[in-house]
Amino acid sequence: MANIVAIVGRPNVGKSTFFNRLIEKRQAIMDNEPGVTRDRHYGYAEWCGKFFTVIDTGGYATGSDDKFEAEIRKQVKLAIDEASAIIFMVDCRDGVTGFDKEFANVLRTSKKPIFIGANKADTPDKTLLATEFYELGMEAEIYPISAENGSGTGELLDDLIKTFPSEGVEDPDAGIPRIAIVGRPNVGKSSLLNALLGTERSIVTDEAGTTRDAIHSYYKMYGQNFILIDTAGVRKKGKVKDDIEFYSVLRSLRALEESDVCIVVIDAERGMESQDVNLISLAQRQGKGMIIMVNKWDLIEKDSKTADKFKKDILEKLAPIDYIPMVFASVLNKQRIFQVIEKAVEVFGNKTKKVPTSKLNEVMLREIERYPPPSTKGKLIQIKYITQVNARFPSFAFFCNLPQYITESYQRFLENKMREHFDFEGVPVRLIFRKK
């Protein structure tokens, strides 16, 4: 059994602050507003040589004003079922509340080791208040801690790791391809993730902005493991309303930066918008593999030319980027959603492809001999040798006598020939011209 720790409790007791402290990153969004965290959020931590997975959860509550309350409770229960140990977070400043008592009853049904973290015990006076939580009547040790400054957390973690069945794995994600699902708000990103996984991994509603953190999930297809990342919707800076949405967008852009392949989801009814173009341009600059998934295709009235017209319109808006594959799908009807992942596998293969130097020179030097670079200022340009260089995406060095005189139009010609012969669909290709 893996070492998995779920951090649970009512809203606004400091679960995300403690989560970020354990994983040593500002990965989960923190705010004084209750209900910021909604979905299960995973990270990796280490203490005294023991490695473990940490799950941050939304605040468990009943009868609150939060419209996501029932879905958050469902996510919390899934985290408890998945965990091998549980940290029940409470607040020393507020003392025992009705929500704490109610949630304690939920945890009593669990057979997992439980540790009560009495948070916000920042001073000796506050630490004494932690004894109030014995009123919950749970067979669990109470640890006065401060998730913000770290005091008291060492004692909790020392006892926690004693319950682990193994040493754990330092980085179980190492070498696994990451596929980020990105796009504007409410285009169906979380619905796509849930449909692929066959489980409610992300909360889905008709309200834009439901997803806030970047949600990581494991997925296996064609014998290959992947990490699928559901992200918050990204919209124009001027339309971002508050701090929480600002940090949600920031996490989405970071997820895009850390991914290998991006599935850019667009709404068939609204078409390609400027923010979609901005996302794709950003992904191209960062050397990411890309797929465009046109969701809600079932809602469009179609004839035999509809898809071609839609594709032409997208390519016009993206010009000169013309190498991204498109899949017309419907998450609601599960139409072609697995084709999206199949295409993502192909794009990842293209992104990591290594072309043998001998084959590269055999093919490309023949094309160059057929259509040599145009002479500039009466100077004859000769490309003598080509090799692939180590980089995050396909990059090739062309050695020639006068690299400064290679025109942009000829560079595009060479890139098109590279794509024609070696299939780099879905990934940017960089050509570097060096003097020899």
Side-chain angles (χ1 to χ4, degrees), residues 43-45 51-53 168-176 178 218 225 227:
Y44 298 106
F51 299 95
F52 55 102
T53 300
V169 180
E170 182 171 355
D171 184 6
D173 293 348
I176 301 177
R178 292 169 175 261
Y218 292 95
N225 290 313
I227 296 171

Side-chain angles (χ1 to χ4, degrees), residues 47 62-63 112 180 239 242 304 322 379:
W47 186 256
T62 55
K112 315 273 174 76
K239 292 186 177 180
D242 53 32
S304 59
D322 59 358
K379 299 189 181 287

Side-chain angles (χ1 to χ4, degrees), residues 206-349:
D206 292 332
E207 180 181 316
T210 301
T211 302
R212 286 170 167 174
D213 288 299
I215 309 301
H216 295 61
S217 304
Y218 292 95
Y219 185 72
K220 188 168 185 177
M221 189 175 184
Y222 306 120
Q224 169 74 61
N225 290 313
F226 301 97
I227 296 171
L228 295 178
I229 310 169
D230 180 22
T231 64
V234 178
R235 54 180 179 167
K236 290 180 181 176
K237 190 176 179 182
K239 292 186 177 180
V240 174
K241 294 177 183 177
D242 53 32
D243 288 347
I244 293 171
E245 186 177 358
F246 169 77
Y247 286 115
S248 295
V249 171
L250 210 60
R251 298 296 193 275
S252 296
L253 297 179
R254 187 186 295 169
L256 185 150
E257 191 177 316
E258 293 174 351
S259 68
D260 298 300
V261 178
C262 301
I263 299 172
V264 182
V265 184
I266 67 172
D267 188 323
E269 292 185 299
R270 295 173 62 180
M272 175 75 72
E273 296 187 352
S274 59
Q275 194 62 5
D276 299 315
V277 177
N278 291 339
L279 272 173
I280 289 168
S281 298
L282 179 63
Q284 185 206 28
R285 289 197 299 274
Q286 294 181 357
K288 306 302 175 186
M290 285 176 278
I291 301 150
I292 294 172
M293 173 182 161
V294 183
N295 191 26
K296 307 181 186 178
W297 191 240
D298 54 312
L299 303 179
I300 302 296
E301 288 187 21
K302 295 176 280 289
D303 58 32
S304 59
K305 297 180 180 178
T306 306
D308 289 337
K309 287 177 184 174
F310 204 97
K311 190 172 183 177
K312 184 181 177 184
D313 179 62
I314 289 175
L315 289 174
E316 284 176 0
K317 290 176 179 175
L318 287 179
I321 302 171
D322 59 358
Y323 56 80
I324 306 174
M326 293 179 212
V327 179
F328 296 88
S330 168
V331 173
L332 190 65
N333 296 336
K334 295 192 176 180
Q335 182 183 19
R336 288 189 282 276
I337 60 170
F338 295 103
Q339 192 175 319
V340 173
I341 295 298
E342 190 176 346
K343 187 58 74 173
V345 174
E346 291 177 20
V347 169
F348 178 76

